[in-house]
Amino acid sequence: MNNSLSGWDDTIIALATPPGIGAIGVIRLSGKLSFPIVNELFPSKNLLEAASHTIQVGYLQEDGKPVDEVVLSLFRGPRSYTGEDVIEISCHGSPYIHQQVIDACMRKGARLAKPGEFTQRAFLAGKMDLAQAESVADIIASNTAASLKTALHAMRGGFSARLKDLREQLIRFSALIELELDFSQEDVEFADRGAFYSLVNELTHSTKQLIESFRLGNVIRNGVSVAIIGKPNAGKSTLLNTLLNENRAIVSDIPGTTRDTIEEVINIGGILFRLIDTAGIRQHTSDIIETAGVERSLEKMKQADLVLFLFDASDDLAEITQRVDDLKQQQIKYLLVANKIDQAPGHKEKFAGWEDLIFISARQHLHIEELKEQMTATVVEGEVQSENNIVTNARHYHALKQALQSLEDIQTGLDNLIPGDLLAPDIRRALHYLGEITGQVSNEDMLDYIFSKFCIGK
Ligand code: GDP
């Protein structure tokens, strides 16, 4: 047996709440010795006879010395998170007490849990599939309503159900094709090629949809990077402050993003926008020579998913037109924002015929709502609702891409009327990759990798 499953029989323990001082801290044990271990430390009641799904209040004691007054929540397997016997000890929220409680349980035979080990056990006990288990990590990491919603949807199994359905249809065909192989001498076709062709088409379509959803999934999970660019004095830092005042998001850390530039994060309609290089905006750049300024802007634009090009509505029209033309060359998503309309009478006429121009006053807070709506519209483009299946996980995305490749190979094979024995390997490959996502196909290295990214105690 390899490492990941050795220690499988152990009873594990970890702090389930964040380390540090709090009102309470919860310590969780899972495994067949959970009840005997805690029972030895809990003189006021015989836990071995206590009913499941009850709570007990009393003192934890070791060698006659009280450690803390605690509340115990008892869950007997299989009706528990991991499927094993689980006890949650709620004690006072002092790191010293947490350590005392954990040490006492370890002296009675528990060992510290590895990252993600509770959820890994839940997966191995069949409590949830792999995609659901991974979404547990996403739920914990979610920063916004939208990211929480997709993660919850995935945990309840919406995403997995769709994939399983597709995969089962393919398995049925695969069985028929494999059957043909058994009769290969006799030139029979059990699998109706026409029906198979439409199934593969449908599968390809759905797989593509899921792959495309990753873009939005990624946005929901990681946010959209935004660069505000424009000449000195256009009002960039005023706009930044106006946006931040109302919408500043509290985020701890966004996974998968580098933070080499200073950025602020705002939350608009459940989507995180990361305003990059805010230090550059706040610095007064008027003394930087113009070329350096332009290079800086280009650099920023390359890093951004979305550019807000801000200009003073009373600036010279030819100059603005020139800058917009430059922007169009860059093949970058941008919004044109004309600022200071409070002191630019006749701006509507001046820009007549310009499409997709947003007039604002950053200082007077005019039309800021409209700007925000346009910002979310560039991301969501009305295509997807959070209820749909959205791929947010890079591992799933890569598996789907592999599955798509195999499906396209099957299609080519069918177009060329190749015999069943040559189709079979492609079908097996497609099945393999689709199965990898939900864990119907898995290997222990992969499991170790996935669960090692969880925090300890989950
Ligand atoms: P930055 O150099 O692009 O960051 O520009 P600032 O945000 O520092 O703004 C430059 C000047 O324009 C400041 O005096 C702002 O108060 C002023 N300003 C910014 N937005 C507006 C606006 O909407 N209307 C008016 N009248 N002035 C503005």
Side-chain angles (χ1 to χ4, degrees):
M1 213 187 269
N2 96 0
N3 282 340
S4 72
L5 295 184
S6 62
W8 170 237
D9 267 348
D10 296 350
T11 294
I12 53 175
I13 186 166
L15 182 66
T17 42
I21 295 174
I24 58 169
V26 177
I27 289 159
R28 178 154 61 171
L29 287 100
S30 176
K32 57 178 191 277
L33 291 181
S34 302
F35 279 67
I37 288 171
V38 182
N39 194 46
E40 279 190 59
L41 302 168
F42 195 74
S44 48
K45 174 132 190 178
N46 183 356
L47 299 178
L48 303 181
E49 283 165 12
S52 181
H53 294 72
T54 59
I55 59 171
Q56 314 289 336
V57 184
Y59 275 91
L60 275 195
Q61 291 190 9
E62 193 181 24
D63 305 328
K65 276 185 268 159
V67 179
D68 190 17
E69 188 179 23
V70 298
V71 176
L72 303 178
S73 309
L74 310 181
F75 307 89
R76 287 186 199 277
R79 285 171 61 218
S80 71
Y81 181 69
T82 57
E84 305 174 324
D85 288 347
V86 169
I87 295 186
E88 289 178 3
I89 306 172
S90 306
C91 50
H92 289 97
S94 121
Y96 176 72
I97 291 175
H98 303 159
Q99 201 55 52
Q100 298 285 97
V101 173
I102 291 173
D103 287 348
C105 291
M106 285 173 67
R107 281 191 282 270
K108 301 288 178 208
R111 77 155 161 84
L112 275 183
K114 291 184 285 186
E117 198 171 1
F118 289 94
T119 307
Q120 186 167 12
R121 288 185 176 201
F123 165 68
L124 291 170
K127 285 266 160 186
M128 54 178 86
D129 71 28
L130 203 50
Q132 287 173 305
E134 286 171 296
S135 65
V136 172
D138 286 348
I139 287 174
I140 296 172
S142 54
N143 287 320
T144 67
S147 62
L148 181 61
K149 206 164 164 187
T150 40
L152 280 173
H153 180 70
M155 193 185 68
R156 291 198 201 102
F159 176 69
S160 307
R162 174 102 179 98
L163 277 180
K164 279 195 188 123
D165 177 45
L166 292 175
R167 194 165 172 271
E168 264 153 34
Q169 294 179 47
L170 194 58
I171 286 174
R172 249 179 282 134
F173 264 96
S174 155
L176 289 174
I177 299 249
E178 303 276 348
L179 199 59
E180 285 176 14
L181 302 187
D182 293 342
F183 290 83
S184 55
Q185 311 300 350
E186 299 163 41
D187 197 21
V188 286
E189 280 194 357
F190 293 105
D192 171 357
R193 291 296 189 271
F196 186 43
Y197 199 83
S198 24
L199 172 68
V200 172
N201 261 337
E202 198 195 318
L203 271 166
T204 308
H205 178 71
S206 308
T207 310
K208 270 191 187 149
Q209 257 185 353
L210 285 172
I211 289 174
E212 276 158 22
S213 78
F214 183 66
R215 196 182 61 79
L216 181 70
N218 214 17
V219 160
I220 288 174
R221 198 177 150 124
N222 296 332
V224 185
S225 55
V226 181
I228 304 178
I229 63 161
K231 288 204 305 185
N233 275 328
K236 297 182 294 298
S237 83
T238 310
L239 177 61
L240 178 70
N241 288 328
T242 301
L243 290 172
L244 282 176
N245 277 344
E246 286 173 36
N247 308 285
R248 183 182 245 121
I250 298 163
V251 286
S252 41
D253 194 13
I254 299 175
T257 57
T258 49
R259 291 248 194 157
D260 44 2
T261 55
I262 294 183
E263 55 182 37
E264 298 276 4
V265 183
I266 58 176
N267 177 346
I268 302 177
I271 293 178
L272 293 181
F273 289 86
R274 296 185 289 111
L275 300 161
I276 59 178
D277 190 27
T278 50
I281 294 177
R282 290 190 199 282
Q283 248 165 36
H284 268 278
T285 47
S286 44
D287 53 355
I288 294 180
I289 48 166
E290 182 65 5
T291 46
V294 170
E295 270 162 32
R296 264 184 84 96
S297 298
L298 279 178
E299 201 42 50
K300 269 165 68 176
M301 277 162 49
K302 275 192 229 128
Q303 297 168 19
D305 299 320
L306 174 66
V307 165
L308 302 187
F309 175 46
L310 190 69
F311 52 85
D312 187 328
S314 41
D315 275 355
D316 174 50
L317 194 57
E319 190 192 327
I320 297 170
T321 311
Q322 179 58 48
R323 285 172 165 264
V324 172
D325 285 345
D326 291 346
L327 200 58
K328 283 183 180 153
Q329 311 272 321
Q330 300 293 323
Q331 301 196 324
I332 235 169
K333 247 188 214 172
Y334 60 85
L335 291 175
L336 302 179
V337 189
N339 190 27
K340 308 195 190 182
I341 55 166
D342 54 306
Q343 57 174 30
H347 58 271
K348 287 244 165 70
E349 295 73 28
K350 178 174 174 183
F351 293 96
W354 283 51
E355 280 170 22
D356 303 330
L357 186 59
I358 307 156
F359 293 108
I360 65 161
S361 165
R363 198 165 72 182
Q364 312 287 343
H365 297 225
L366 296 176
H367 308 307
I368 301 298
E369 277 311 310
E370 191 192 327
L371 171 62
K372 290 197 281 186
E373 274 164 28
Q374 293 294 325
M375 285 169 69
T376 42
T378 58
V379 180
V380 183
E381 284 164 2
E383 42 174 321
V384 212
Q385 302 293 315
S386 308
E387 278 73 22
N388 286 1
N389 288 311
I390 295 175
V391 179
T392 55
N393 183 297
R395 190 181 69 81
H396 300 170
Y397 174 73
H398 292 295
L400 282 166
K401 286 191 81 157
Q402 305 273 22
L404 180 64
Q405 180 61 51
S406 312
L407 287 166
E408 284 170 350
D409 290 345
I410 297 173
Q411 259 175 336
T412 317
L414 286 171
D415 285 340
N416 296 323
L417 302 172
I418 68 165
D421 55 340
L422 295 178
L423 281 177
D426 289 330
I427 299 178
R428 277 187 224 123
R429 257 209 333 269
L431 283 173
H432 174 87
Y433 288 118
L434 292 174
E436 235 182 41
I437 296 172
T438 51
Q440 285 155 302
V441 177
S442 64
N443 62 56
E444 283 169 15
D445 289 344
M446 188 177 95
L447 293 183
D448 268 358
Y449 173 73
I450 290 168
F451 287 103
S452 69
K453 291 194 297 184
F454 277 65
C455 45
I456 292 181
K458 194 60 224 181

